[in-house]
Amino acid sequence: MNRNFWLTLFVLACLVSCNQQKVKNGYTLKPSDDLLRIELDSLTSNISSWLGYYYDPKQGSGLLFSVDPVRNEIERYSLQDGKLFDKMTYDREGPKGVGTLIEIGILGLDSVLIFPPFDNSFYQSRFSDAALNKVAYNKPDEYSPIRSMTNYFSSPAYTDGQYIYTRTLFGGNYMLMENDELSEKPLMYRVNVASGAVEFAHFTFPDDYWADGKTSYEFSTAANDGQFAFSFYGDHNIYVANSFDEELRPIIAKSNYLPADFERLPEAGSREDRLRYFATTQHYGSLIYDAYRNVYYRFCYPKVDLNGSEDVRSLVQFPSAFSIMILDSEFKVLGEKLIEKESQLAPGNVFVGPKGLYISINHPDHPGNLEDYFSFRLFELVEE
């Protein structure tokens, strides 16, 4: 692995940090009147399975990255031009095979990491010369490989040049697990990019997460220059550590739109009952760090009352209402924006750019939804 490459990445991260804006108190997210539209070809879905934005402060430009698992390609789009910038197609098998593209990490405008879903390796890829470098690592038994999913529970892998930090999910049947066992399960490990060695963090599930009954064990994590934060499906706290070697500490950050108590998982119910629970009960979703303004956004989902006609699976991707909490770098709540049913947004497709938070309007019932475009509403952070 080219160490100069990782050093360059670290320097770029520092430059973004130095350009952060100061935020104090009393803020909201104001929707812009203008839509960002990016033209697609007729074969590309306007809901991306993986979406991410990278801005290079030295070049003063950025690109939107999207993964298409059907065609096994990574596409890069220009926000300024509203069009495809270029794309790279990858073999699934063979000497240059990377499997099916599911998750990636953005290293720079020209470089990405590819994380195969069923492989103890990752790949460094460059667009400029189609270079592909495979790096093996010692994935822990019974734990997931490097994860960076952005839909529903954003947890992008984070690198400081020496390590890749990734959330991980435990294997096995969670229905047979009790609170004491869950509380010992690690949430993150890091991979040494030179040796492939793996080391678990001290981060584990909260001691009392299932003390009063089970909720979903899903969680989101966000990193900010060595600070790690975790937001769980059914917990008002955010759990924070200022380094990989610390234990997590809870910080209360309750949404105004979620009640004090969470509904419990229907353990005796069917698979459909559990899907309905996931889609309709009150919970927290993605925790996203905004490096341009040095704030966090925490997505919150109030309880949904079904009338019998809704498609439960569709509600997971297109919730009828949600809110976004705004928290400062110490996780003090600065404000909360409620986005109600008439907004008809797709909060699984979001990204942060220099101007603010972009949320997809490619909801099937949104009047502005166009099949051949990524379409986003810009939400700007403003003082109330």
Side-chain angles (χ1 to χ4, degrees):
M1 180 67 68
N2 187 335
R3 291 190 176 277
N4 289 334
F5 171 82
W6 294 101
L7 179 60
T8 300
L9 173 65
F10 182 68
V11 171
L12 288 175
C14 290
L15 286 171
V16 171
S17 178
C18 290
N19 287 325
Q20 293 168 347
Q21 302 174 20
K22 299 296 183 182
V23 175
K24 294 182 180 179
N25 201 0
Y27 281 75
T28 189
L29 289 166
K30 180 181 178 182
S32 169
D33 292 333
D34 297 327
L35 293 178
L36 169 64
R37 293 200 187 273
I38 300 174
E39 188 175 3
L40 307 173
D41 64 36
S42 60
L43 298 178
T44 301
S45 170
N46 64 11
I47 293 292
S48 174
S49 64
W50 193 101
L51 196 69
Y53 181 76
Y54 185 87
Y55 180 78
D56 185 337
K58 292 181 68 175
Q59 298 188 33
S61 62
L63 291 171
L64 183 67
F65 291 67
S66 179
V67 171
D68 185 337
V70 176
R71 291 186 285 185
N72 226 46
E73 65 185 24
I74 300 173
E75 302 147 353
R76 299 191 296 175
Y77 294 92
S78 166
L79 303 191
Q80 182 176 354
D81 298 334
K83 294 182 179 180
L84 179 72
F85 181 77
D86 67 2
K87 62 184 177 181
M88 182 84 76
T89 304
Y90 296 85
D91 295 338
R92 285 185 169 85
E93 299 178 348
K96 294 186 177 181
V98 300
T100 298
L101 285 177
I102 300 294
E103 306 183 40
I104 67 171
I106 306 172
L107 295 175
L109 292 177
D110 185 52
S111 301
V112 298
L113 292 174
I114 297 171
F115 305 127
F118 306 109
D119 194 357
N120 295 0
S121 60
F122 61 88
Y123 297 82
Q124 178 191 336
S125 177
R126 286 197 304 268
F127 283 77
S128 56
D129 57 8
L132 187 66
N133 181 36
K134 181 177 181 178
V135 180
Y137 71 98
N138 302 319
K139 187 191 80 65
D141 293 339
E142 300 182 1
Y143 288 91
S144 63
I146 297 173
R147 304 293 295 266
S148 66
M149 291 297 287
T150 57
N151 287 351
Y152 318 133
F153 295 92
S154 173
S155 296
Y158 162 79
T159 181
D160 60 7
Q162 183 179 3
Y163 298 99
I164 296 175
Y165 299 81
T166 176
R167 82 160 186 171
T168 188
L169 295 176
F170 56 84
N173 187 351
Y174 73 95
M175 297 296 290
L176 302 178
M177 193 177 297
E178 299 299 331
N179 182 68
D180 288 348
E181 185 178 358
L182 179 76
S183 66
E184 297 177 352
K185 296 295 184 182
L187 304 172
M188 175 173 282
Y189 61 79
R190 66 184 181 187
V191 179
N192 186 303
V193 298
S195 67
V198 167
E199 179 184 0
F200 280 105
H202 295 290
F203 314 149
T204 58
F205 281 85
D207 289 342
D208 59 351
Y209 191 61
W210 280 354
D212 299 322
K214 292 180 180 178
T215 64
S216 172
Y217 60 83
E218 273 283 9
F219 64 91
S220 175
T221 181
N224 167 23
D225 193 24
Q227 180 188 68
F228 300 93
F230 294 81
S231 174
F232 294 89
Y233 179 99
D235 194 321
H236 295 300
N237 291 320
I238 288 178
Y239 293 82
V240 183
N242 289 329
S243 78
F244 184 79
D245 299 315
E246 291 184 3
E247 294 186 355
L248 295 174
R249 67 183 188 281
I251 299 176
I252 187 67
K254 183 183 178 303
S255 166
N256 289 326
Y257 301 100
L258 271 60
D261 297 324
F262 293 92
E263 295 181 40
R264 298 301 164 179
L265 188 70
E267 296 185 57
S270 65
R271 185 172 180 272
E272 288 298 317
D273 291 333
R274 290 191 288 274
L275 176 61
R276 189 177 299 107
Y277 164 86
F278 182 86
T280 64
T281 59
Q282 66 275 13
H283 66 278
Y284 293 100
S286 290
L287 180 67
I288 297 175
Y289 178 61
D290 181 341
Y292 307 98
R293 284 151 287 272
N294 195 23
V295 298
Y296 291 85
Y297 304 121
R298 190 185 199 188
F299 283 68
C300 316
Y301 298 91
K303 180 178 174 58
V304 175
D305 293 320
L306 297 178
N307 60 25
S309 62
E310 292 96 341
D311 180 352
V312 174
R313 286 178 174 82
S314 179
L315 280 174
V316 176
Q317 190 170 46
F318 305 112
S320 56
F322 61 97
S323 70
I324 305 172
M325 299 178 68
I326 305 155
L327 305 105
D328 68 12
S329 58
E330 301 299 322
F331 300 95
K332 176 184 176 183
V333 179
L334 303 178
E336 185 170 7
K337 171 68 175 179
L338 177 64
I339 298 174
E340 298 181 276
K341 186 173 183 178
E342 60 268 24
S343 297
Q344 297 168 325
L345 302 178
N349 266 196
V350 304
F351 67 93
V352 175
K355 293 183 179 179
L357 176 68
Y358 292 85
I359 306 178
S360 171
I361 68 160
N362 293 125
H363 185 295
D365 297 329
H366 195 291
N369 177 29
L370 300 178
E371 187 173 317
D372 294 330
Y373 288 84
F374 283 143
S375 301
F376 298 92
R377 176 78 67 191
L378 170 64
F379 286 78
E380 298 173 295
L381 184 66
V382 298
E383 191 170 5
E384 289 188 298

